[in-house]
Amino acid sequence: MNGPVRPRLASLSDFQFGVVATETIEDALLHLAQQNEQAVQEAAGRMGSFRETRIVEFVFLLSEQWCLEKSASYQAVEILERFMVKQAENICRQSIIQLRDNEKTESHHWRVLKEQISNKFILRLVSCVQLASKLSFHYKIISNVTVLNFLQSLGYLYTKEELLESELDVLKSLNFQINLPTPLAYVEMLLEVLGYNGCLVPATQLHATCLTLLDLVYLLHEPIYESLLRTSIENSTPSQLQGEKFISVKEDFMLLGVGIIAASAFIQNHECWSQVTGHLQSITGIALASIAEFSYAILTHSVGANTPGQQQPVPPHLAARALRAATSSST
């Protein structure tokens, strides 16, 4: 079927590794590590609650329709996640402060606030995608006309003023801090370092598989992390406290990055898996057992059997697991 010609998306072959000076890579990796450490320390509450499969799928499909690159789609998910968590926290705070003395009125007020968020959710989601497109400086920005036409096709009639107000609401809620690191940044930085360290699997070859698996982790976020939690505590029924402690693991993008690369290496060339995971361990300091557990969780949700967790035993002296340390306490 004939239709308008879309702009060419950036090809995977356009992505190059090994062209950046080592000093620059070291500084960038250190900066990402510091950002990740701060994010893990601050992880709490309902973080991760809005990386739900249908929401992520909507963002991915919309980003593809608007010809955005992969980094923009991931960033849109992260902006939306943080914005919605802020909104939920604000509703709870307002309900407690304003209507503490009248339970019946409080219940009604709570429903009204929930309906307001629900009714504007699609608008907020689209605003987050548009903001992410504006951060992607080397690709096109999604215009207000494009956004309004899309919303109209779904039956939502908004004006340009309302669209601008929605973007501003998102920006203000996040204190204009929307240039958030995404797991893709960690994956690509680690691949760059692996290339310099003499990894047997070419970085460009791993990169394509990493993108596919990263999409999978976003789309199956809850089941993958649930299986990871059960494995890390060696218990099929985690307690509420263990689940709350595990939030920091869900926000650990460095851990996610090494898990994605390890799983990709196993798919590309399982004979090199041990070498790749060894490099990742030396680069990040993450225990081999944790890398194995994460890659196992990813692979069992994608390709199923014959995964590294079954084929590659972890040396006993590395059995102290970072994941288990984060979740084992139940008191």
Side-chain angles (χ1 to χ4, degrees), residues 213-259:
L213 292 183
L214 189 52
D215 278 358
L216 178 82
V217 172
Y218 264 100
L219 290 167
L220 299 177
H221 187 270
E222 195 60 29
I224 287 177
Y225 277 95
E226 280 297 318
S227 65
L228 194 61
L229 171 57
R230 289 193 296 269
T231 299
S232 66
I233 64 173
E234 297 180 346
N235 191 328
S236 60
T237 55
S239 68
Q240 181 179 347
L241 180 58
Q242 287 171 327
E244 291 173 356
K245 286 177 175 290
F246 200 71
I247 292 174
S248 62
V249 177
K250 292 181 178 181
E251 298 302 313
D252 191 339
F253 287 171
M254 188 70 79
L255 175 63
L256 174 55
V258 298

Coordinates of all heavy atoms in Angstrom, one line a residue, residues 213-259:
L213 N 16.9 -7.6 23.0 CA 16.7 -8.1 24.4 C 16.3 -7.0 25.3 O 15.6 -7.2 26.3 CB 18.0 -8.8 24.9 CG 18.4 -10.1 24.2 CD1 19.6 -10.7 24.9 CD2 17.2 -11.1 24.3
L214 N 16.8 -5.8 25.1 CA 16.4 -4.6 25.9 C 14.9 -4.3 25.7 O 14.2 -4.0 26.7 CB 17.3 -3.4 25.6 CG 17.1 -2.2 26.6 CD1 17.3 -2.6 28.0 CD2 18.1 -1.1 26.2
D215 N 14.5 -4.4 24.5 CA 13.0 -4.3 24.2 C 12.3 -5.3 25.0 O 11.2 -5.0 25.6 CB 12.7 -4.4 22.8 CG 13.0 -3.2 22.0 OD1 13.4 -2.1 22.6 OD2 12.8 -3.2 20.7
L216 N 12.8 -6.5 25.0 CA 12.1 -7.6 25.7 C 12.0 -7.4 27.2 O 11.0 -7.6 27.8 CB 12.9 -8.9 25.4 CG 12.3 -10.2 26.1 CD1 11.1 -10.7 25.4 CD2 13.3 -11.2 26.3
V217 N 13.1 -6.9 27.8 CA 13.1 -6.7 29.2 C 12.1 -5.6 29.6 O 11.4 -5.6 30.6 CB 14.5 -6.3 29.7 CG1 14.5 -5.8 31.2 CG2 15.5 -7.5 29.6
Y218 N 12.0 -4.5 28.8 CA 11.1 -3.5 29.0 C 9.6 -4.0 28.9 O 8.8 -3.7 29.7 CB 11.3 -2.3 28.0 CG 12.1 -1.2 28.6 CD1 13.4 -1.1 28.2 CD2 11.6 -0.2 29.4 CE1 14.2 0.0 28.7 CE2 12.3 0.8 29.9 CZ 13.6 0.9 29.6 OH 14.4 1.9 30.1
L219 N 9.4 -4.8 27.9 CA 8.0 -5.3 27.7 C 7.6 -6.4 28.7 O 6.4 -6.6 29.0 CB 7.9 -5.9 26.2 CG 8.0 -4.9 25.1 CD1 8.2 -5.6 23.8 CD2 6.7 -4.1 25.1
L220 N 8.6 -7.1 29.2 CA 8.3 -8.2 30.2 C 9.0 -7.8 31.5 O 9.5 -8.7 32.2 CB 8.8 -9.5 29.7 CG 8.2 -10.0 28.4 CD1 8.8 -11.4 28.0 CD2 6.7 -10.2 28.6
H221 N 9.0 -6.5 31.8 CA 9.7 -6.0 33.0 C 9.3 -6.8 34.3 O 10.2 -7.3 35.0 CB 9.4 -4.5 33.2 CG 10.2 -3.9 34.2 ND1 9.8 -3.8 35.5 CD2 11.5 -3.3 34.2 CE1 10.7 -3.1 36.3 NE2 11.7 -2.8 35.5
E222 N 8.0 -6.9 34.6 CA 7.6 -7.4 35.8 C 7.9 -8.9 35.9 O 8.5 -9.4 36.9 CB 6.1 -7.2 36.0 CG 5.6 -7.4 37.4 CD 6.2 -6.5 38.4 OE1 6.7 -5.4 38.1 OE2 6.4 -7.0 39.6
P223 N 7.5 -9.8 34.9 CA 7.8 -11.2 35.1 C 9.3 -11.5 35.2 O 9.7 -12.4 35.9 CB 7.2 -11.8 33.8 CG 6.9 -10.7 32.9 CD 6.7 -9.5 33.7
I224 N 10.1 -10.8 34.4 CA 11.6 -11.0 34.5 C 12.2 -10.7 35.8 O 12.9 -11.4 36.4 CB 12.3 -10.2 33.4 CG1 12.0 -10.8 32.0 CG2 13.8 -10.2 33.6 CD1 12.6 -10.1 30.8
Y225 N 11.8 -9.5 36.4 CA 12.3 -9.1 37.7 C 11.7 -10.0 38.8 O 12.3 -10.2 39.8 CB 12.1 -7.6 37.9 CG 13.2 -6.8 37.3 CD1 13.0 -6.2 36.0 CD2 14.4 -6.6 38.0 CE1 14.0 -5.5 35.5 CE2 15.4 -5.8 37.4 CZ 15.2 -5.2 36.1 OH 16.2 -4.5 35.5
E226 N 10.5 -10.4 38.6 CA 9.9 -11.3 39.6 C 10.6 -12.6 39.7 O 10.9 -13.1 40.8 CB 8.4 -11.6 39.3 CG 7.5 -10.5 39.7 CD 7.4 -10.3 41.2 OE1 7.4 -11.3 42.0 OE2 7.5 -9.1 41.7
S227 N 11.0 -13.2 38.5 CA 11.8 -14.4 38.5 C 13.2 -14.2 39.1 O 13.7 -15.1 39.8 CB 11.8 -15.0 37.1 OG 12.6 -14.1 36.2
L228 N 13.7 -13.0 38.8 CA 15.0 -12.7 39.4 C 15.0 -12.6 40.9 O 15.9 -13.0 41.6 CB 15.5 -11.4 38.8 CG 17.0 -11.0 38.9 CD1 17.9 -12.0 38.3 CD2 17.2 -9.6 38.3
L229 N 13.9 -12.0 41.4 CA 13.7 -11.9 42.8 C 13.6 -13.2 43.5 O 14.3 -13.5 44.5 CB 12.5 -11.0 43.2 CG 12.0 -11.0 44.6 CD1 13.1 -10.5 45.5 CD2 10.8 -10.1 44.7
R230 N 12.8 -14.1 42.9 CA 12.6 -15.4 43.5 C 13.9 -16.2 43.5 O 14.3 -17.0 44.4 CB 11.6 -16.2 42.7 CG 10.1 -15.7 42.9 CD 9.1 -16.6 42.4 NE 9.2 -16.8 41.0 CZ 8.5 -16.1 40.1 NH1 7.7 -15.1 40.5 NH2 8.6 -16.2 38.8
T231 N 14.7 -16.1 42.4 CA 16.0 -16.8 42.3 C 17.0 -16.2 43.3 O 17.7 -17.0 44.0 CB 16.6 -16.6 40.9 OG1 15.7 -17.2 40.0 CG2 18.0 -17.3 40.8
S232 N 17.0 -14.9 43.5 CA 18.0 -14.3 44.4 C 17.8 -14.6 45.8 O 18.7 -14.7 46.6 CB 18.0 -12.8 44.2 OG 16.8 -12.2 44.6
I233 N 16.5 -14.8 46.2 CA 16.2 -15.2 47.6 C 16.0 -16.6 47.8 O 15.7 -17.1 49.0 CB 15.0 -14.4 48.2 CG1 13.7 -14.8 47.4 CG2 15.3 -12.9 48.1 CD1 12.5 -14.1 48.0
E234 N 16.0 -17.4 46.7 CA 15.8 -18.8 46.7 C 14.4 -19.2 47.4 O 14.4 -20.0 48.3 CB 16.9 -19.6 47.4 CG 18.2 -19.4 46.6 CD 19.4 -20.1 47.3 OE1 19.3 -20.5 48.5 OE2 20.4 -20.3 46.6
N235 N 13.4 -18.4 47.1 CA 12.1 -18.6 47.6 C 11.0 -18.2 46.6 O 11.1 -17.1 46.0 CB 11.9 -17.8 48.9 CG 10.7 -18.1 49.7 OD1 9.7 -18.5 49.1 ND2 10.8 -18.0 51.0
S236 N 10.0 -19.0 46.4 CA 9.0 -18.7 45.3 C 8.0 -17.7 45.8 O 7.2 -17.3 45.0 CB 8.3 -20.0 44.9 OG 7.7 -20.7 46.0
T237 N 8.0 -17.4 47.1 CA 7.0 -16.5 47.6 C 7.7 -15.4 48.4 O 7.7 -15.5 49.6 CB 5.9 -17.2 48.5 OG1 6.6 -17.9 49.5 CG2 5.1 -18.2 47.7
P238 N 8.2 -14.4 47.8 CA 8.9 -13.3 48.5 C 7.9 -12.5 49.4 O 6.8 -12.4 49.1 CB 9.4 -12.4 47.3 CG 9.3 -13.2 46.1 CD 8.2 -14.2 46.3
S239 N 8.5 -12.0 50.5 CA 7.7 -11.2 51.4 C 7.6 -9.8 50.8 O 8.3 -9.4 49.9 CB 8.4 -11.2 52.8 OG 9.6 -10.5 52.7
Q240 N 6.7 -9.0 51.4 CA 6.5 -7.6 51.0 C 7.8 -6.8 51.2 O 8.2 -6.0 50.3 CB 5.3 -7.0 51.7 CG 5.1 -5.5 51.3 CD 3.9 -4.9 52.0 OE1 3.1 -5.6 52.7 NE2 3.7 -3.6 51.9
L241 N 8.4 -7.1 52.3 CA 9.7 -6.3 52.6 C 10.8 -6.7 51.6 O 11.5 -5.8 51.2 CB 10.1 -6.6 54.0 CG 11.4 -5.9 54.5 CD1 11.3 -4.4 54.4 CD2 11.8 -6.3 55.9
Q242 N 10.9 -8.0 51.3 CA 11.8 -8.4 50.3 C 11.6 -7.7 48.9 O 12.5 -7.3 48.2 CB 11.9 -9.9 50.1 CG 12.5 -10.6 51.3 CD 12.3 -12.1 51.3 OE1 11.3 -12.6 50.8 NE2 13.3 -12.8 51.8
G243 N 10.3 -7.6 48.6 CA 9.9 -6.9 47.3 C 10.2 -5.5 47.3 O 10.7 -4.9 46.3
E244 N 10.1 -4.8 48.5 CA 10.4 -3.4 48.6 C 11.9 -3.2 48.5 O 12.4 -2.2 47.9 CB 9.9 -2.8 49.9 CG 8.3 -2.8 50.0 CD 7.8 -2.4 51.3 OE1 8.6 -2.3 52.3 OE2 6.6 -2.2 51.5
K245 N 12.7 -4.1 49.1 CA 14.1 -4.0 49.1 C 14.6 -4.2 47.6 O 15.7 -3.6 47.2 CB 14.8 -5.0 50.0 CG 14.7 -4.6 51.5 CD 15.3 -5.7 52.3 CE 15.3 -5.3 53.8 NZ 16.3 -4.2 54.1
F246 N 13.9 -4.9 46.9 CA 14.3 -5.3 45.5 C 14.1 -4.1 44.5 O 14.6 -4.2 43.4 CB 13.5 -6.5 45.0 CG 14.1 -7.2 43.9 CD1 15.3 -8.0 44.1 CD2 13.6 -7.2 42.6 CE1 15.9 -8.7 43.0 CE2 14.2 -7.9 41.6 CZ 15.3 -8.6 41.8
I247 N 13.4 -3.1 44.9 CA 13.2 -1.9 44.1 C 14.6 -1.3 43.6 O 14.7 -0.9 42.5 CB 12.4 -0.8 44.8 CG1 10.9 -1.4 45.0 CG2 12.4 0.5 44.0 CD1 10.0 -0.4 45.8
S248 N 15.5 -1.4 44.5 CA 16.9 -0.8 44.2 C 17.5 -1.6 43.1 O 18.2 -1.1 42.2 CB 17.8 -0.8 45.4 OG 18.0 -2.1 45.9
V249 N 17.2 -2.9 43.0 CA 17.7 -3.8 41.9 C 17.1 -3.4 40.6 O 17.7 -3.4 39.6 CB 17.5 -5.3 42.3 CG1 18.0 -6.2 41.1 CG2 18.3 -5.7 43.5
K250 N 15.8 -3.1 40.7 CA 15.0 -2.8 39.5 C 15.5 -1.5 38.9 O 15.4 -1.2 37.7 CB 13.5 -2.6 39.8 CG 12.8 -3.9 40.1 CD 11.4 -3.7 40.3 CE 10.6 -5.0 40.6 NZ 9.2 -4.8 40.8
E251 N 16.1 -0.6 39.7 CA 16.6 0.7 39.2 C 18.1 0.7 38.9 O 18.7 1.7 38.6 CB 16.3 1.8 40.3 CG 14.8 2.0 40.5 CD 14.0 2.3 39.3 OE1 14.5 3.2 38.5 OE2 13.0 1.7 39.0
D252 N 18.7 -0.5 39.0 CA 20.2 -0.6 38.8 C 20.4 -0.9 37.3 O 20.4 -2.0 36.8 CB 20.7 -1.8 39.6 CG 22.2 -1.8 39.6 OD1 22.9 -1.2 38.7 OD2 22.8 -2.4 40.5
F253 N 20.6 0.2 36.5 CA 20.8 0.1 35.1 C 22.2 -0.5 34.7 O 22.3 -1.1 33.6 CB 20.6 1.5 34.4 CG 19.2 1.9 34.4 CD1 18.9 3.2 34.0 CD2 18.2 1.1 34.7 CE1 17.6 3.7 33.9 CE2 16.8 1.5 34.7 CZ 16.6 2.8 34.3
M254 N 23.2 -0.4 35.6 CA 24.4 -1.0 35.3 C 24.3 -2.5 35.3 O 24.8 -3.2 34.5 CB 25.5 -0.6 36.3 CG 26.9 -1.0 36.0 SD 27.6 -0.2 34.5 CE 28.1 1.4 35.3
L255 N 23.5 -3.0 36.3 CA 23.3 -4.4 36.4 C 22.5 -4.9 35.2 O 22.7 -6.0 34.6 CB 22.5 -4.7 37.7 CG 22.1 -6.2 37.9 CD1 23.3 -7.1 38.0 CD2 21.2 -6.3 39.2
L256 N 21.5 -4.1 34.8 CA 20.7 -4.5 33.7 C 21.5 -4.5 32.4 O 21.4 -5.4 31.6 CB 19.5 -3.5 33.5 CG 18.7 -3.6 32.2 CD1 18.1 -5.0 32.1 CD2 17.6 -2.6 32.2
G257 N 22.5 -3.5 32.3 CA 23.3 -3.5 31.1 C 24.2 -4.7 31.0 O 24.3 -5.3 29.9
V258 N 24.8 -5.2 32.1 CA 25.7 -6.3 32.0 C 24.8 -7.6 31.8 O 25.3 -8.5 31.1 CB 26.5 -6.5 33.3 CG1 27.5 -5.3 33.5 CG2 25.7 -6.7 34.5
G259 N 23.6 -7.7 32.3 CA 22.8 -8.8 32.1 C 22.4 -8.9 30.6 O 22.4 -10.0 30.0

